[in-house]
């Protein structure tokens, strides 16, 4: 169904739309829709279309993200903006949003409202990330709000749609939505930790990518916020406010200092707290295999950081 939805009359639009679909991906959000539907009737007619809606929405954001980030690679493939142009990538993202909206219209006004509000959060999160915190903002709180809006909001919608459209009770819908938002935040925080702590052969990614690009993730916020009082702290803070994009030696030094810094333990503690808060909510749900699968996600998001 996903491939059918990105096939159109225009050859270029179809090719560009199918580009990321064919590149693969975890399909994490559709999986959450299907998993949450087991608290009601998983065969309900709106469940599968809702899973396609959240994946189309996610894919649309990736096209736009790659333009904003001037990315050259996405999911191991040449990014759409690199292969074609920024204009084609932006229009393809818009087209995927339109296809998602078309499907959504058949799912009822409540589903449309849920998606619209989440889309507003996605845009707000991207805007806040682009502009950065104001002088009187707490940078860490600002960062966590960006994570909640830009990443966790659509993950929350995935759980919401699955429970809602399967006919689950209002308590189940509310609980799964809230827990999925926390799982979404936890996944991003675990990515923050992995970007610093993992080796390339373990993660398949170049370590310290965010650090090199000047992206201040959770451990970096903890360092700059004053955690740690060791002899190397001043040097690390000095490095973290510099441009490390072209200096391999300083980048390697900063990465080594960051890996040994207590900010990493603080970040792992934050991650565990988000995952445990999600678990606590999930344990109020009916005891069925789907609940075990959800709590397993809470375990996984912590264990993947070691």
């Amino acid at each position: 169904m996903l491939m059918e939805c990105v096939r159109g009359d225009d050859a270029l639009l179809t090719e560009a739309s199918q580009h990321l679909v064919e590149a693969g991906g975890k399909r994490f959000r559709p999986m959450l829709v299907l998993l949450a539907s087991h608290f009601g009737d998983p065969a309900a007619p709106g469940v599968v279309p809702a899973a396609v809606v959240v994946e189309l929405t996610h894919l649309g954001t990736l096209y736009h993200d790659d333009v904003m980030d001037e990315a050259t690679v996405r999911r191991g493939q040449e990014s759409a903006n690199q292969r074609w142009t920024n204009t084609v990538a932006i229009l393809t993202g818009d087209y995927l949003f339109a296809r998602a909206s078309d499907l959504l219209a058949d799912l009822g006004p409540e589903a449309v409202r849920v998606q619209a509000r989440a889309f507003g959060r996605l845009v707000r999160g991207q805007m806040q990330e682009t502009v950065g915190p104001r002088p009187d903002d707490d940078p860490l709180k600002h960062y966590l709000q960006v994570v909640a809006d830009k990443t966790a909001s659509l993950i929350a919608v995935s759980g919401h749609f699955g429970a809602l459209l399967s006919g689950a009770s209002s308590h189940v819908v509310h609980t799964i939505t809230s827990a999925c938002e926390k799982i979404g935040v936890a996944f991003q925080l675990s990515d923050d930790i992995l970007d610093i702590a993992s080796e390339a052969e373990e993660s398949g990614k170049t370590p310290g990518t965010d650090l090199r690009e000047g992206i201040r993730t959770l451990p970096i916020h903890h360092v700059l916020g004053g955690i740690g009082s060791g002899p190397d702290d001043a040097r690390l803070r000095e490095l973290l406010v510099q441009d490390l994009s072209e200096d391999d030696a300083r980048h390697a030094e900063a990465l080594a200092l960051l890996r040994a810094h207590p900010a990493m333990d603080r970040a792992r503690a934050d991650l565990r707290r988000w995952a445990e808060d999600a678990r606590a909510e999930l344990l109020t749900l009916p005891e069925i295999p789907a609940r075990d699968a959800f709590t397993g996600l809470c375990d996984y998001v912590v264990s993947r950081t070691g």
Side-chain angles (χ1 to χ4, degrees):
M1 185 175 183
L2 182 61
M3 287 296 290
E4 291 174 5
C5 286
V6 297
R7 188 177 297 117
D9 296 332
D10 183 87
L12 176 58
L13 191 55
T14 297
E15 183 184 3
S17 297
Q18 291 178 343
H19 181 63
L20 280 186
V21 176
E22 293 174 342
K26 297 183 289 293
R27 308 286 190 246
F28 180 61
R29 291 154 190 81
M31 182 268 291
L32 290 179
V33 176
L34 300 178
L35 192 58
S37 73
H38 284 267
F39 289 93
D41 176 11
V47 171
V48 171
V52 176
V53 165
V54 294
E55 184 66 6
L56 288 173
T57 304
H58 174 59
L59 290 172
T61 66
L62 297 184
Y63 282 89
H64 287 186
D65 283 350
D66 285 346
V67 171
M68 296 189 70
D69 298 340
E70 299 180 350
T72 58
V73 176
R74 167 69 69 176
R75 294 180 173 176
Q77 304 291 327
E78 190 178 26
S79 62
N81 52 300
Q82 179 76 9
R83 180 170 179 175
W84 292 286
T85 63
N86 282 345
T87 299
V88 169
I90 291 169
L91 291 173
T92 302
D94 291 345
Y95 178 69
L96 295 180
F97 295 144
R99 297 297 296 127
S101 298
D102 192 20
L103 283 176
L104 193 64
D106 293 328
L107 302 182
E110 185 173 359
V112 172
R113 186 176 297 110
V114 167
Q115 172 83 346
R117 289 175 177 173
F119 201 84
R121 290 185 64 189
L122 288 169
V123 174
R124 181 179 67 185
Q126 184 64 67
M127 181 69 76
Q128 290 179 332
E129 181 180 62
T130 301
V131 174
R134 295 171 297 185
D136 57 342
D137 285 341
D138 180 323
L140 178 56
K141 288 183 178 178
H142 177 272
Y143 174 71
L144 291 173
Q145 186 61 58
V146 168
V147 169
D149 285 342
K150 189 180 173 186
T151 301
S153 62
L154 192 57
I155 292 174
V157 165
S158 301
H160 192 151
F161 276 168
L164 174 69
L165 295 167
S166 69
S169 71
S170 59
H171 165 69
V172 169
V173 173
H174 173 78
T175 301
I176 288 180
T177 302
S178 178
C180 281
E181 173 128 359
K182 292 178 175 65
I183 290 171
V185 172
F187 261 99
Q188 182 58 58
L189 300 188
S190 69
D191 280 349
D192 290 357
I193 295 168
L194 285 171
D195 182 70
I196 296 164
S198 68
E199 299 296 339
E201 59 269 20
E202 296 172 343
S203 65
K205 299 178 181 178
T206 303
T209 298
D210 291 335
L211 180 65
R212 186 179 292 279
E213 294 176 357
I215 299 172
R216 293 185 177 180
T217 57
L218 181 64
I220 295 172
H221 278 295
H222 281 323
V223 173
L224 296 176
I227 289 177
S229 56
D232 294 324
D233 286 2
R235 174 57 178 166
L236 178 55
R237 293 188 183 102
E238 177 187 343
L239 288 168
L240 292 179
V241 297
Q242 295 178 18
D243 181 1
L244 304 177
S245 60
E246 302 296 334
D247 194 317
D248 291 343
R250 284 189 299 164
H251 175 265
E253 181 186 2
L255 186 60
L257 291 173
L258 194 51
R259 284 173 168 173
H261 198 276
M264 294 296 288
D265 289 334
R266 176 67 68 87
R268 289 187 176 96
D270 291 344
L271 166 61
R272 287 193 296 271
R273 186 176 67 253
W274 280 96
E276 285 305 312
D277 286 350
R279 174 193 292 278
E281 291 188 339
L282 291 165
L283 290 177
T284 69
L285 296 174
E287 191 174 349
I288 62 173
R291 191 186 78 171
D292 295 338
F294 269 114
T295 58
L297 280 174
C298 298
D299 295 333
Y300 169 71
V301 74
V302 173
S303 66
R304 72 194 287 253
T305 64

